[in-house]
Amino acid sequence: MAGRHTLEIALPGLDCAEDAQEVQRAAGALPGVRRVDVLLSARKAVVTFDPAVVDPRAIHEAIEQGTGCCGTEPSPPAARPGPLGGFTRQVLTVFGLVFGGVLVVVVLGEWLGLFEAVSRRMPWPLGLALVLAGGYPVFWSVARATRRGRVTSHTLMTLGTLAAL
């Protein structure tokens, strides 16, 4: 149809269903926007709109101003899925080898008591520093959500991690 266009908007900061609802509300409130689908796992929004009524830049601005969670980025054009090629097969092979190696280390480390020995010798502050450094992106997301007065699944995960320490 001539009066309908589709716009894909990347939302790199999108990390929970509540943020997805905010994006949907902000874009859907514009006149000329007919449909807003927010894909949380892909971190993008697909907006169907009438270009005679609303400008794509206005949609970006509405999302950026109407949500405190995430900025927008222009999405790259969608690539056609191809067959399982050489590069993908290599990546999956390396992934399988790394996963298998980690599994062997974990199983042997548990059976031989290596993890218990390391746990006894590692100072508590060093363990806390490693957890904070490794979980920095999640902890930062929890801090932003807390400032907005929200509790997300990441908040509960963070409390559980700190309690386990």
Side-chain angles (χ1 to χ4, degrees), residues 3-85:
R4 286 193 184 190
H5 283 92
T6 302
L7 176 67
E8 287 190 13
I9 302 171
L11 303 167
L14 187 70
D15 62 358
C16 67
E18 196 168 338
D19 291 344
Q21 288 176 345
E22 283 184 14
V23 169
Q24 198 164 22
R25 240 180 275 131
L30 292 172
V33 172
R34 299 181 186 209
R35 182 177 175 152
V36 180
D37 293 316
V38 181
L39 307 171
L40 183 60
S41 61
R43 292 188 174 181
K44 72 177 180 178
V46 180
V47 182
T48 304
F49 66 100
D50 184 354
V53 179
V54 66
D55 181 48
R57 187 65 213 148
I59 297 171
H60 280 272
E61 289 173 6
I63 291 173
E64 288 176 3
Q65 292 173 358
T67 64
C69 66
C70 47
T72 63
E73 293 180 354
S75 295
R80 291 186 349 196
L84 187 61

Side-chain angles (χ1 to χ4, degrees), residues 7 35 43 91-92 119 125 134 143 145 153 162:
L7 176 67
R35 182 177 175 152
R43 292 188 174 181
V91 168
L92 289 175
S119 296
S153 60
L162 294 177

